[in-house]
């Protein structure tokens, strides 16, 4: 903390940050040196602050707020994660005199106009929205002072088309800015074999320092086979999941692999829990998603049934348990989803895969559960 600009340190303490977590202690000196940095630590370890604290420290000492240019960009792959980051970081950013805005596909037209008329110092956005904003040639001057880009949940884009597009996007930001742009990547689930690919997406052809702290994050993942009810496997699974939710002293996050299953499972569970469950996925309207997030965060819901829209590092309250319906197909996906439970440093994530009476599904679920517990990622 002593390495940070005293204004950042004081603001952080006022907002309740009394001490640094291990990944923050390791990452802050590296980011402050100006290195392109890849920060790898379990979910709930404080990676966001590990990047934001030193970036803000350099911003307050070097850059002038409110001059109509963007200085820092925080890129995340999910709109719901955008909202969460904005809630967590905005008080600190604004306490230091900088403006902050959230801009993505859900943003209403009034927010879009305001963004272009008065660009914020610090913007939180998705790769797709940022790509679109960079095509506005008459607004290129707003990017002339970009000095920092933070890319969250990097593991989500390293082996797909979005990763290729993100690499090009980062080069376009470099070209649009008159400043030297420092890149910081964050990831919770990277195997040693994935590190090289992550570094290439973040800063191809450049030196990237890796800061890693595996911490003492642990996962306890069980597998339960649900019997069908009147030949309906989904109804049988819903009964099992509802019983689990009732036994939990707190909130349960239920994941499914498709939106249609989330809708039906959520409808059944909501009836069984007296309306204390809702559904969350990308096809719902912005208002519906935000309302579900709010009610779940405030403890008004016992369960939230979601797709991958909720699997990343989103702080939606104290989730006590995660239930996955059917095998999630990947250990990385299970690790991310299980990590929503007890989402804080040193927490033990309690998760259960509820599957059907099918040999392949059972064996795959068991293999993924055991590999998740061992941290044996793809």
């Amino acid at each position: 903390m002593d390495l940070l600009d005293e204004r950042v340190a004081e603001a952080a303490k006022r907002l309740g940050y009394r001490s640094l977590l291990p990944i923050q202690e390791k990452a802050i000196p590296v980011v402050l040196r100006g290195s392109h940095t890849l920060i790898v630590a379990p979910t709930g370890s404080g990676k966001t602050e590990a990047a934001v604290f030193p970036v803000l420290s350099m911003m307050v000492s070097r850059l002038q707020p409110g001059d109509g240019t963007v200085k820092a960009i925080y890129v995340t792959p999910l709109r719901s994660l955008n909202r969460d980051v904005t809630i967590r970081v905005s008080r600190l950013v604004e306490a230091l005199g900088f403006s902050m805005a959230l801009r993505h596909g859900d943003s209403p037209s009034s927010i879009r106009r305001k963004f272009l008329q008065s660009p914020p110092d610090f913007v939180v956005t998705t790769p797709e929205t940022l790509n679109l904003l960079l095509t506005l040639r008459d607004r290129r001057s707003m990017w002339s002072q970009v000095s920092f880009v933070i890319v969250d949940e990097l593991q989500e884009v390293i082996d797909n088309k979005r990763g290729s597009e993100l690499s090009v996007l980062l080069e376009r930001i470099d070209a649009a800015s008159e400043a030297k742009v420092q890149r910081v990547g964050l990831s919770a689930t990277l195997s040693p074999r994935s590190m090289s690919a992550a570094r290439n997406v973040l800063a191809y052809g450049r030196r990237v320092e890796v800061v890693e702290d595996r911490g003492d994050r642990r996962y306890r993942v069980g597998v339960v086979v649900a019997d069908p009810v009147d030949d309906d496997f989904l109804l049988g699974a819903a009964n099992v999941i509802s019983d689990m939710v009732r036994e939990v002293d707190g909130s349960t996050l239920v994941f499914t692999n498709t939106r249609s299953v989330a809708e039906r499972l959520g409808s059944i569970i909501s009836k069984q829990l007296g309306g204390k469950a809702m559904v969350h996925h990308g096809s719902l309207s912005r208002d519906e998603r935000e309302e579900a997030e709010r009610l779940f965060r405030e403890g008004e819901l016992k369960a939230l049934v979601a797709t991958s829209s909720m699997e990343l590092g989103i702080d939606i309250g104290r989730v006590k348990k995660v239930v996955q319906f059917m095998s999630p197909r990947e250990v990385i996906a299970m690790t991310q989803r299980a990590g929503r439970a007890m989402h804080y440093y040193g927490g033990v994530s309690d998760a259960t895969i509820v599957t059907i009476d099918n040999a392949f599904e059972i064996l795959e679920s068991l293999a993924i559960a055991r590999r998740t517990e061992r941290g044996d990622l793809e």
Side-chain angles (χ1 to χ4, degrees):
M1 193 74 86
D2 292 340
L3 296 177
L4 299 172
D5 185 286
E6 62 180 14
R7 290 166 288 184
V8 176
E10 286 301 319
K13 288 175 182 176
R14 287 199 305 271
L15 293 173
Y17 295 95
R18 300 302 176 196
S19 60
L20 296 177
L21 295 172
I23 190 60
Q24 296 162 359
E25 291 182 343
K26 290 182 178 182
I28 285 173
V30 178
V31 177
L32 286 174
R33 288 202 299 266
S35 303
H36 298 309
T37 309
L38 174 59
I39 301 172
V40 182
T43 180
S45 296
K47 294 185 298 298
T48 296
E49 291 79 4
V52 170
F53 282 176
V55 163
L56 287 175
S57 184
M58 290 183 281
M59 284 176 63
V60 297
S61 61
R62 301 178 192 171
L63 301 171
Q64 181 65 38
D67 62 359
T69 63
V70 175
K71 286 84 175 173
I73 304 171
Y74 196 112
V75 183
T76 73
L78 285 181
R79 287 170 290 186
S80 52
L81 184 53
N82 282 166
R83 289 190 288 273
D84 175 68
V85 169
T86 303
I87 292 169
R88 289 172 60 189
V89 174
S90 59
R91 292 187 303 159
L92 182 59
V93 172
E94 292 166 1
L96 296 167
F98 290 103
S99 58
M100 184 172 181
L102 170 61
R103 178 69 172 82
H104 53 51
D106 277 345
S107 300
S109 56
S110 58
I111 296 296
R112 299 181 189 201
R113 283 195 302 271
K114 182 180 179 181
F115 183 92
L116 295 177
Q117 292 166 358
S118 181
D121 299 304
F122 195 116
V123 59
V124 179
T125 188
T126 60
E128 291 76 17
T129 296
L130 183 57
N131 199 28
L132 179 63
L133 289 169
L134 284 169
T135 65
L136 303 176
R137 294 191 175 276
D138 60 335
R139 302 290 180 175
R140 281 184 67 85
S141 62
M142 79 166 70
W143 311 109
S144 63
Q145 296 303 310
V146 173
S147 302
F148 309 97
V149 179
I150 301 170
V151 182
D152 204 352
E153 303 294 351
L154 192 59
Q155 78 283 340
E156 290 296 306
V157 298
I158 62 174
D159 60 353
N160 54 43
K161 179 180 176 182
R162 292 183 85 188
S164 303
E165 293 175 340
L166 177 61
S167 287
V168 176
L169 178 59
L170 292 171
E171 298 300 328
R172 293 179 63 200
I173 293 170
D174 263 15
S177 178
E178 298 170 4
K180 180 180 181 295
V181 182
Q182 181 181 358
R183 306 176 187 183
V184 181
L186 311 179
S187 180
T189 49
L190 281 180
S191 70
R193 298 182 296 276
S194 304
M195 291 291 187
S196 177
R199 289 197 300 266
N200 283 338
V201 170
L202 182 64
Y204 186 81
R206 300 167 176 85
R207 183 171 183 270
V208 177
E209 291 198 48
V210 177
V211 181
E212 189 172 8
D213 186 88
R214 294 296 176 181
D216 60 353
R217 185 72 169 177
R218 288 173 291 142
Y219 299 86
R220 184 170 58 244
V221 185
V223 177
V224 172
V225 180
D227 294 323
V229 174
D230 298 329
D231 294 326
D232 188 339
F233 282 106
L234 198 63
L235 180 56
N239 290 341
V240 171
I241 294 170
S242 294
D243 288 342
M244 289 182 178
V245 172
R246 293 188 188 99
E247 293 172 0
V248 173
D249 181 19
S251 302
T252 301
L253 194 51
V254 181
F255 285 102
T256 71
N257 297 330
T258 66
R259 294 169 181 174
S260 59
V261 171
E263 289 285 352
R264 182 157 182 246
L265 195 63
S267 175
I268 298 171
I269 293 173
S270 180
K271 289 177 182 176
Q272 293 179 342
L273 297 178
K276 291 288 187 177
M278 290 182 71
V279 175
H280 188 288
H281 58 68
S283 292
L284 296 173
S285 70
R286 175 173 61 92
D287 289 344
E288 288 177 295
R289 292 197 306 273
E290 289 186 355
E291 178 69 358
E293 291 168 26
R294 183 186 68 80
L295 291 173
F296 194 69
R297 184 182 293 114
E298 294 175 359
E300 296 297 319
L301 301 177
K302 284 285 291 179
L304 186 64
V305 183
T307 57
S308 59
S309 61
M310 277 284 123
E311 81 176 28
L312 301 182
I314 302 167
D315 185 6
I316 46 172
R318 289 299 189 189
V319 178
K320 291 294 182 69
K321 185 176 181 65
V322 165
V323 176
Q324 165 70 41
F325 174 58
M326 305 291 283
S327 161
R329 308 304 182 201
E330 292 182 342
V331 182
I332 285 176
M334 190 66 223
T335 302
Q336 286 283 8
R337 294 177 181 190
R340 301 303 94 225
M342 309 302 280
H343 185 239
Y344 56 85
Y345 184 76
V348 180
S349 295
D350 182 21
T352 301
I353 302 174
V354 175
T355 188
I356 63 174
D357 190 7
N358 172 282
F360 295 107
E361 280 290 335
I362 294 169
L363 289 171
E364 183 174 296
S365 297
L366 285 168
I368 286 177
R370 297 300 162 259
R371 287 185 59 175
T372 299
E373 292 181 334
R374 294 198 306 265
D376 183 11
L377 307 177
E378 292 91 355

